[in-house]
Amino acid sequence: MISSIGIILTWFGFLNLIILFISSNKNLFQTLVRVNLLIHFLLFCILEIALFLDDFSLYYIANHSAASTPPLYKFASLWGSLDGSILLWNLVLSIYFYLYIKFYRASVELYDIKIFASILLFFSGFTIFSSSPFSGCIQLASIGCQDFTLLPFQDLVTSESGRGPNPLLQNHPLMAIHPPILYLGYIGLVLPFVIATSELFNKHKDENWIKIAERATYFPWVFLTAGISLGAAWSYEVLGWGGYWAWDPVENVSFIPWLLATAFLHSSKTQIKEQTLINWNYVLACLMFLSVIFGTFITRSGVLISVHAFSNGNIGTYLLIGLFIFSFLFIFIGIRNIEYFKTSNKVENLLGRSGFFVANNIVLSASALIVLIGTIYPIFYESFFSRQLTIGRSFYDILIGPLLLILVYLMIFSTKISRVNLDFKTWLIGYQNELNVSLLISIILTFYFRASYKFVLTIFGSVLLVIIIGKNIVKRYKKTKLQGSYWTGQISHLGIGIFTIGLILNVTQSFSNELIISTGDIVNFGDKEFIILPPYEEIKEEKNVINLPIEFEDQEKNATLNIFKNSSQQAISSPAVFRSIESDTYVTIKVIDDDKFKLIFRENYGIFILWLGLGISSASFLTRMRK
Amino acid sequence: MKKYLSITLFIILIFLPLVIYEDNNSRYEKLSKSLLCPVCQGETLYDSPSEYADDMRIVLKEQIDNGMSDKQIMEYWTARFGERINTNPQNSNYILILFPIIFALVFGSLFYRKVLND
């Protein structure tokens, strides 16, 4: 029943999009875009209802949910696997389509509507022709469902119980927030693509497109920043390996668009103010969206192994065709506008705004390229040499680390950036106090941590950045409100400065130890004392949880080992985290051997500072809320 | 006056790490961070909670205690599990590190010629 409703409604949505694509009526699209949003919202609701009703006649629900799954994770199961996540993807695209016609649309012609509709047609085509979360189950497996149909009104079989979601995905409430926020950022980068290609489709008329594209990139950027940070937080809280960023391919492909979007937010400003970098801006605006499709291709086609990667038959080829079509559109429109691109001014002042932004763009796009190469090189290597190789943390540390450092030093000058060249000498004299204070702080910290040059270089730059921008913001805040893109930049930069302090503390100072203990032991780790209390087991419907309470001062927290039923996957160890501003003590159970436990104690420095910085960067959107 | 203070502080900062830097990463930490757990998804031995990785860590610790050099240890593991177990850049992918640098140079000079005024 639900299966048929869903499939038929998907068809209606598809039909609606086709009308939107071919219609040349200039008033009709307003209604059709709203209808499209309504249909995709309904589809979302229907699948949620089916999930809560445990309708196991649906292939997707039988295989990715279970009656015993707690409500929050049932809700999140909608995007827990490929077919459902495409439903969310389409809903987010539809939301952006609506927001686009409401807030960003400037053109009088219909190119933008047609391009946007074709993108949506492309993605909803997948749910119609390849696999849909609404497809009904026609053949049972021992648990869950074996085979499905894409047609409505079939005789469906209902499986007794569901397979349940991936255990990793039902362990922490962040799982319900992280993917939608990330999608809002990731997919939002469709806006600059649509704006750039449609405004330049015929022949460009004015410079309006870059302003709109810049505005339209900013909010997706905020969501992307927040989404990536939440993912990192989830990894830290749940996966029990003590880190937050693993340079996993899926993390990488969310980071590449972030780098490009950050570059675009800067370079678009030079075009708005000084008419420079026009061609580069066009390339970036399109590349952001192309990198989104490419990233989806990499992670959903099964060419890579990763925690996030779930593949499903033919989506790889499908996405590759899409990547080809949209790249063609990008190149075709680019070639048509060669004359326009030639009107771009050259950058006059290397130490002025444009010069700084060019430097920033070179660093950011080089980083994006490095991450891209690191992600895809193992695939090529394997297919050419039929041997596997791993590109690990050290590759990125060597290459991305110094580039991030360059960015920190560039940002220091961002408070007083203007069209004319920066006079370095006056700058030094003007910021003498700030320089002295940050030199002093760096000396104290270096002395305290007995640190290396890597630490010294980073900490000095970031402390100086935080002090200069912090002072700038405080001075302004006393007088009036912080509004406008200059202050957006300042607050984001402040956040990044704080983030870098946390990052360098974390990377250079953290330490860990592996201990074998039994209950009642007192553990000395660092200069702290922990008491291990007797463990107890909780038996829940979907999993068994072994809790090991650990006492530190007057806090008591559980390190847990989650053993999931209905799952072949290994047990998941979740940490007990004792937080403080300077460092977290992070305890995980590694192995249980009768009454002995092997525990890992980690002292993770700078974690709080790191989250604080990312939070401040994401909160920079407050400066743009009112015009 | 402030100027001399800055210069003094700067000089202190520059030489400080030379005097006080202590490498607190043990050999075990370094090695277990550069070896990939062969049965996990992209985790190193250091990170992985799997039992297989646990067994490997025990062997690794023994090797360190027996006084094997870093090179010998890495050779031991790559001989058994192949090149992919080593997450450090090696001969076959040093080019990877060079490539982005070359690219950045080419890209930068292109930018300089096309975008900036000489």
Side-chain angles (χ1 to χ4, degrees):
Chain A
M1 179 63 185
I2 292 181
S3 162
S4 304
I5 297 173
I7 290 172
I8 290 169
L9 199 59
T10 318
W11 273 100
F12 271 118
F14 196 68
L15 214 62
N16 179 54
L17 283 167
I18 291 177
I19 299 170
L20 195 55
F21 183 69
I22 45 181
S23 143
S24 52
N25 185 331
K26 290 195 177 176
N27 300 312
L28 188 64
F29 73 86
Q30 295 274 359
T31 323
L32 292 182
V33 170
R34 286 176 167 81
V35 170
N36 172 62
L37 178 59
L38 179 72
I39 291 177
H40 280 98
F41 180 68
L42 282 176
L43 284 172
F44 179 88
C45 294
I46 293 170
L47 191 58
E48 283 298 355
I49 291 168
L51 276 164
F52 279 99
L53 291 178
D54 295 321
D55 185 345
F56 294 126
S57 65
L58 266 70
Y59 175 81
Y60 184 79
I61 295 175
N63 283 352
H64 302 292
S65 181
S68 58
T69 310
L72 182 69
Y73 302 112
K74 262 185 194 164
F75 183 73
S77 288
L78 185 130
W79 50 81
S81 193
L82 180 75
D83 300 335
S85 73
I86 286 187
L87 198 70
L88 178 66
W89 180 289
N90 287 337
L91 174 65
V92 173
L93 259 180
S94 304
I95 294 172
Y96 273 115
F97 202 173
Y98 174 70
L99 292 177
Y100 172 72
I101 62 160
K102 197 142 196 252
F103 296 112
Y104 300 112
R105 188 158 195 270
S107 85
V108 277
E109 281 160 295
L110 289 173
Y111 296 118
D112 50 348
I113 303 294
K114 290 185 192 299
I115 291 173
F116 216 132
S118 61
I119 293 170
L120 247 166
L121 266 176
F122 174 76
F123 285 106
S124 52
F126 183 76
T127 50
I128 291 203
F129 302 113
S130 186
S131 70
S132 159
F134 293 106
S135 50
C137 180
I138 47 171
Q139 193 194 334
L140 292 179
S142 55
I143 310 168
C145 181
Q146 178 91 52
D147 202 9
F148 62 91
T149 170
L150 281 167
L151 296 172
F153 308 121
Q154 304 291 308
D155 291 328
L156 300 181
V157 284
T158 305
S159 123
E160 295 249 316
S161 63
R163 269 185 215 168
N166 182 334
L168 278 176
L169 307 184
Q170 46 172 318
N171 220 353
H172 196 281
L174 269 177
M175 200 49 225
I177 311 165
H178 154 65
I181 299 273
L182 188 75
Y183 269 33
L184 279 170
Y186 204 57
I187 301 166
L189 295 177
V190 70
L191 291 177
F193 178 80
V194 170
I195 292 164
T197 47
S198 64
E199 287 283 305
L200 300 179
F201 193 82
N202 233 349
K203 238 186 179 178
H204 107 284
K205 292 163 275 337
D206 48 36
E207 285 299 310
N208 214 7
W209 74 273
I210 189 72
K211 284 186 198 159
I212 308 170
E214 193 267 347
R215 270 203 297 139
T217 309
Y218 179 67
F219 283 99
W221 179 88
V222 170
F223 281 116
L224 199 53
T225 312
I228 294 174
S229 314
L230 287 172
W234 174 77
S235 164
Y236 183 75
E237 298 291 331
V238 172
L239 293 185
W241 59 287
Y244 41 86
W245 190 262
W247 296 106
D248 168 286
V250 178
E251 293 169 352
N252 290 351
V253 297
S254 71
F255 192 44
I256 294 170
W258 187 90
L259 289 166
L260 295 177
T262 313
F264 181 71
L265 286 175
H266 290 90
S267 72
S268 57
K269 277 277 177 272
T270 69
Q271 184 177 343
I272 293 169
K273 297 212 160 131
E274 298 173 24
Q275 287 288 302
T276 49
L277 302 176
I278 297 178
N279 40 359
W280 176 241
N281 278 324
Y282 172 73
V283 171
L284 271 185
C286 297
L287 229 47
M288 287 189 272
F289 180 60
L290 295 178
S291 71
V292 165
I293 301 185
F294 177 76
T296 318
F297 161 69
I298 282 279
T299 51
R300 294 291 177 264
S301 61
V303 291
L304 278 176
I305 310 164
S306 143
V307 206
H308 298 78
F310 29 79
S311 69
N312 186 341
N314 45 16
I315 190 165
T317 338
Y318 196 82
L319 284 169
L320 210 56
I321 293 169
L323 188 64
F324 183 75
I325 295 170
F326 297 124
S327 306
F328 177 76
L329 188 69
F330 153 63
I331 293 164
F332 172 72
I333 293 170
I335 290 171
R336 278 170 72 101
N337 282 281
I338 283 192
E339 287 307 313
Y340 166 50
F341 293 146
K342 279 184 185 156
T343 64
S344 177
N345 287 340
K346 291 212 166 190
V347 173
E348 283 181 14
N349 300 320
L350 260 185
L351 289 173
R353 183 197 296 119
S354 295
F356 270 99
F357 284 6
V358 165
N360 146 303
N361 265 255
I362 291 177
V363 173
L364 283 169
S365 39
S367 313
L369 185 83
I370 290 164
V371 179
L372 177 72
I373 291 172
T375 314
I376 60 174
Y377 187 75
I379 306 169
F380 285 110
Y381 188 83
E382 197 182 341
S383 47
F384 284 124
F385 302 104
S386 37
R387 274 183 299 163
Q388 286 183 321
L389 116 173
T390 304
I391 298 213
R393 180 171 291 280
S394 43
F395 170 78
Y396 297 100
D397 280 355
I398 295 169
L399 289 169
I400 301 283
L403 290 178
L404 183 68
L405 195 61
I406 294 174
L407 285 179
V408 169
Y409 278 87
L410 283 175
M411 279 189 281
I412 292 174
F413 301 100
S414 69
T415 49
K416 282 201 171 158
I417 213 154
S418 72
R419 197 191 177 104
V420 292
N421 273 339
L422 177 98
D423 182 6
F424 194 63
K425 213 168 176 182
T426 359
W427 187 90
L428 270 183
I429 295 166
Y431 284 114
Q432 193 119 50
N433 289 335
E434 288 83 349
L435 267 170
N436 284 344
V437 173
S438 43
L439 278 169
L440 199 64
I441 293 178
S442 312
I443 289 175
I444 294 169
L445 287 175
T446 310
F447 195 77
Y448 179 71
F449 287 117
R450 305 197 160 270
S452 65
Y453 275 110
K454 187 161 92 180
F455 181 87
V456 170
L457 273 173
T458 319
I459 208 80
F460 172 64
S462 352
V463 169
L464 186 59
L465 173 65
V466 170
I467 291 178
I468 287 181
I469 292 188
K471 204 177 156 192
N472 191 22
I473 289 173
V474 170
K475 220 158 79 186
R476 161 77 180 219
Y477 191 72
K478 278 181 187 161
K479 287 185 203 142
T480 170
K481 286 204 167 113
L482 304 168
Q483 288 291 324
S485 63
Y486 172 78
W487 295 102
T488 317
Q490 294 292 292
I491 291 176
S492 315
H493 289 177
L494 177 72
I496 304 278
I498 294 173
F499 166 78
T500 339
I501 295 176
L503 184 69
I504 196 67
L505 281 174
N506 184 261
V507 170
T508 57
Q509 303 307 321
S510 303
F511 58 92
S512 71
N513 199 5
E514 230 176 77
L515 299 164
I516 296 170
I517 52 108
S518 38
T519 43
D521 281 2
I522 292 174
V523 176
N524 286 304
F525 175 67
D527 45 11
K528 295 172 181 168
E529 210 177 70
F530 299 86
I531 303 165
I532 313 295
L533 302 173
Y536 59 95
E537 196 171 346
E538 264 177 282
I539 296 172
K540 293 185 182 173
E541 226 177 319
E542 82 283 6
K543 61 180 177 183
N544 293 350
V545 184
I546 297 169
N547 291 288
L548 183 68
I550 297 164
E551 201 182 288
F552 169 62
E553 289 169 359
D554 8 319
Q555 303 174 61
E556 190 188 307
K557 286 185 177 165
N558 288 342
T560 57
L561 202 63
N562 299 279
I563 301 154
F564 288 88
K565 300 166 183 172
N566 292 351
S567 166
S568 54
Q569 235 166 334
Q570 67 193 37
I572 292 161
S573 179
S574 282
V577 187
F578 300 91
R579 292 168 217 273
S580 76
I581 291 176
E582 187 195 10
S583 68
D584 290 359
T585 309
Y586 189 98
V587 189
T588 40
I589 307 173
K590 199 138 246 188
V591 186
I592 299 176
D593 202 3
D594 298 330
D595 54 343
K596 294 262 187 221
F597 288 84
K598 187 181 258 183
L599 298 185
I600 300 228
F601 280 76
R602 286 173 210 272
E603 196 69 18
N604 281 332
Y605 277 81
I607 295 286
F608 173 78
I609 304 172
L610 216 136
W611 297 146
L612 179 73
L614 290 173
I616 290 176
S617 272
S618 308
S620 67
F621 74 89
L622 290 171
T623 57
R624 290 226 183 171
M625 288 310 272
R626 275 185 309 129
K627 269 270 160 187
Chain B
M1 182 55 205
K2 273 183 188 169
K3 195 168 138 194
Y4 294 111
L5 181 65
S6 300
I7 294 171
T8 329
L9 287 174
F10 187 69
I11 291 172
I12 296 177
L13 188 61
I14 289 230
F15 287 104
L16 197 58
L18 269 187
V19 187
I20 59 162
Y21 173 55
E22 265 176 20
D23 189 357
N24 49 12
N25 272 345
S26 62
R27 274 185 71 202
Y28 164 73
E29 232 166 276
K30 266 186 213 157
L31 286 166
S32 63
K33 275 179 184 169
S34 49
L35 283 169
L36 199 74
C37 158
V39 297
C40 317
Q41 295 183 329
E43 290 171 317
T44 61
L45 279 194
Y46 180 80
D47 298 321
S48 170
S50 84
E51 273 178 54
Y52 197 88
D54 200 53
D55 295 339
M56 283 175 69
R57 278 194 294 267
I58 293 169
V59 177
L60 179 65
K61 273 184 188 159
E62 274 170 17
Q63 288 175 330
I64 294 172
D65 292 340
N66 293 344
M68 278 168 78
S69 74
D70 289 6
K71 205 180 158 211
Q72 281 173 322
I73 293 176
M74 292 312 278
E75 271 168 9
Y76 171 90
W77 292 104
T78 44
R80 275 156 188 78
F81 293 96
E83 227 175 311
R84 65 177 282 258
I85 199 173
N86 187 351
T87 67
N88 289 331
Q90 317 141 55
N91 296 336
S92 57
N93 54 7
Y94 266 127
I95 184 130
L96 261 185
I97 293 187
L98 284 176
F99 181 69
I101 295 171
I102 294 167
F103 179 84
L105 287 176
V106 172
F107 196 64
S109 65
L110 210 75
F111 241 90
Y112 188 75
R113 274 187 35 220
K114 291 270 175 195
V115 177
L116 308 178
N117 246 343
D118 307 1

